[in-house]
Amino acid sequence: MSTATPLDDALTQLGEAVALLGHDEGLHHMLATPRREVTVSIPLRRDDGRTELLIGHRVQHNFSRGPAKGGLRYSPDVTLDEVRALAMWMTWKCALLDVPYGGAKGGVRIDPTLYSTAELERVTRRYTSEISPLLGPERDIPAPDVGTDETTMAWMMDTFSVQKGHTVLGVATGKPIELGGSRGRATATSRGVVHVALAALRTRGLKPRTANAAVQGFGKVGRHVARFLADEAVRVVAVSDQHGAVAEEGGLDVDALAAHVGATGSVLGFAGGSAVDHDTVLEADVDLLVPAAVEGVLHGDNAHRIRARIVVEGANGPTTPEADAVLRENDQLVVPDILANAGGVIVSYFEWVQANQAYWWSEAEVEARLAERMLAAWDAVGSHAVRLDVSLRTAATCLAVDRVARAHQIRGLYP
Ligand code: NAD
């Protein structure tokens, strides 16, 4: 079993792109190294009166193209290296989609399921306060990620605004609609995943009506991916979350599954399918696999058992470089995270633009602009891959890294 971390994987991908682009070692080191990172301690008063100390991070990988942008993760597995990897992928994603941001990521090492809402609010407010010198609409703009949601963003926005003495809607995205959130943001990542998944099916000569899919993760991304695929008549035959997995050859009733998860907190015990193990979902014989949970789930040890014709990365970093090589060898198409799940940051950008202008768009406007950007990026990456004779990931990373490198070169070095 490989011991490579997500940061090792991100650095391997960057190294490959830099070699293909022919950039020098100095620039390579700059692109490999975060511009700023902070680690903060977060003392939490528990509801029972005890005090507990939590650790949080914020990494700004790069902001040469604009303010840093990236999600905030609450998970017991958060490490500084994981946050560094996720921040670097955000830089490439923003550059690839040509949104005027650099990349950042935040994380707090906490299992949010073990804390009350009041405790999570105190954690969020203290974390925000500790990192607030880094934040702001022109500096760094967080958004939800694993274990956080629109309420977390409302608390962040409120804490930052109270410190400033006025309301700053543009300091976070993925906020509730009532507080300057954008229509379409909650489902934007999943919409984007499905736009490119349908395009990928077309390139492989597959039709949604006769295609089937498996989805790993049934959270903010996976749940709506499954729903939108079912809306397109794709049979969603297997779904998992961290607690368990269910499968139904004829297709799961995704709305009924979502209602079950809403009521019980897990896919476990869903009457409309059979309980299976986690590997059954990843290794299902399907046209489309959407990993939408965590990093590193397709790796050197299981890549030979993955049977999906197409993998569309809803999650960040789900495929290691070893697995990438095996899947490419077997002619299985991998649509990389920095393209596939970019819908979230695209509509976050729209939310920030709307907040800064205090002028709100209709849902139809948001959806049309999202589709346009996703499909333009899909076309650009596809033709670049053909031109260079490389995978979609390498093509996407090369396009993105080159844009960031150009920004560095044009700005020059200070002093
Ligand atoms: P979430 O916390 O809402 O949901 C995560 C889901 O994954 C949950 O259903 C959880 O039970 C499941 N899960 C965790 N570990 C698992 C495992 N080992 N096997 C199966 N399921 C597992 O998080 P999310 O916002 O949906 O994010 C999921 C992924 O998508 C992450 O990689 C995140 O970085 C990425 N992403 C999210 C957004 C966004 O807008 N939320 C945007 C881009 C990328």
Side-chain angles (χ1 to χ4, degrees), residues 73 145-147 189 216 218-221 241-242 292-293 314-316:
R73 176 172 291 198
D145 191 73
V146 172
T189 306
Q216 184 199 36
F218 205 67
K220 293 185 295 299
V221 178
D241 64 15
Q242 68 196 100
N316 286 309

Side-chain angles (χ1 to χ4, degrees), residues 44-361:
L44 166 68
R45 193 172 4 89
R46 299 290 310 254
D47 291 340
D48 63 9
R50 283 180 302 127
T51 300
E52 191 174 308
L53 194 80
L54 301 163
I55 295 296
H57 308 285
R58 185 76 186 170
V59 173
Q60 296 176 340
H61 170 257
N62 192 286
F63 40 87
S64 53
R65 297 181 62 260
K69 182 88 188 85
L72 169 62
R73 176 172 291 198
Y74 284 179
S75 155
D77 302 324
V78 161
T79 63
L80 181 56
D81 272 356
E82 181 192 47
V83 179
R84 286 173 173 147
L86 292 162
M88 186 186 296
W89 284 322
M90 281 306 297
T91 301
W92 311 145
K93 195 181 301 182
C94 293
L96 180 65
L97 274 294
D98 210 10
V99 294
Y101 293 139
K105 204 80 181 191
V108 176
R109 204 175 310 142
I110 183 175
D111 180 347
T113 61
L114 304 180
Y115 292 78
S116 70
T117 304
E119 290 171 332
L120 291 174
E121 177 172 353
R122 291 199 285 278
V123 169
T124 304
R125 289 187 182 280
R126 184 62 184 251
Y127 170 75
T128 306
S129 180
E130 292 295 336
I131 67 163
S132 67
L134 298 184
L135 299 179
E138 320 80 12
R139 294 173 180 216
D140 185 348
I141 309 137
D145 191 73
V146 172
T148 60
D149 59 17
E150 60 174 31
T151 306
T152 323
M153 294 305 113
W155 293 328
M156 289 195 90
M157 189 281 280
D158 182 69
T159 305
F160 185 83
S161 298
V162 168
Q163 286 190 350
K164 290 281 165 202
H166 60 99
T167 297
V168 188
L169 292 180
V171 68
T173 60
K175 302 183 300 298
I177 298 276
E178 300 85 337
L179 278 179
S182 175
R183 293 184 197 290
R185 173 61 184 90
T187 52
T189 306
S190 318
R191 277 265 182 240
V193 166
V194 173
H195 283 312
V196 294
L198 295 176
L201 286 173
R202 278 195 295 277
T203 62
R204 291 282 158 132
L206 297 163
K207 293 201 169 32
R209 278 200 171 279
T210 49
N212 60 5
V215 180
Q216 184 199 36
F218 205 67
K220 293 185 295 299
V221 178
R223 182 182 308 210
H224 298 296
V225 165
R227 187 157 68 85
F228 295 149
L229 286 173
D231 288 348
E232 296 292 333
V234 174
R235 263 180 311 127
V236 179
V237 295
V239 166
S240 63
D241 64 15
Q242 68 196 100
H243 308 289
V246 287
E248 169 51 52
E249 197 47 47
L252 293 158
D253 178 340
V254 175
D255 286 337
L257 179 59
H260 174 84
V261 173
T264 67
S266 161
V267 302
L268 275 178
F270 178 57
S274 335
V276 292
D277 61 27
H278 278 104
D279 291 346
T280 306
V281 176
L282 288 179
E283 297 168 14
D285 185 7
V286 285
D287 298 304
L288 187 64
L289 170 65
V290 182
V294 288
E295 302 96 68
V297 296
L298 307 180
H299 44 73
D301 293 339
N302 68 1
H304 291 281
R305 296 196 299 274
I306 305 303
R307 288 182 289 169
R309 263 64 78 196
I310 301 167
V311 176
V312 178
E313 296 184 333
N316 286 309
T319 313
T320 68
E322 293 79 24
D324 251 341
V326 172
L327 295 171
R328 184 160 162 78
E329 178 75 27
N330 293 338
D331 195 30
Q332 291 160 285
L333 185 67
V334 178
V335 185
D337 45 10
I338 60 171
L339 169 62
N341 68 35
V345 79
I346 293 173
V347 178
S348 275
Y349 166 51
F350 296 163
E351 179 174 333
W352 176 81
V353 168
Q354 293 170 81
N356 291 341
Q357 299 184 339
Y359 181 79
W360 307 98
W361 308 351

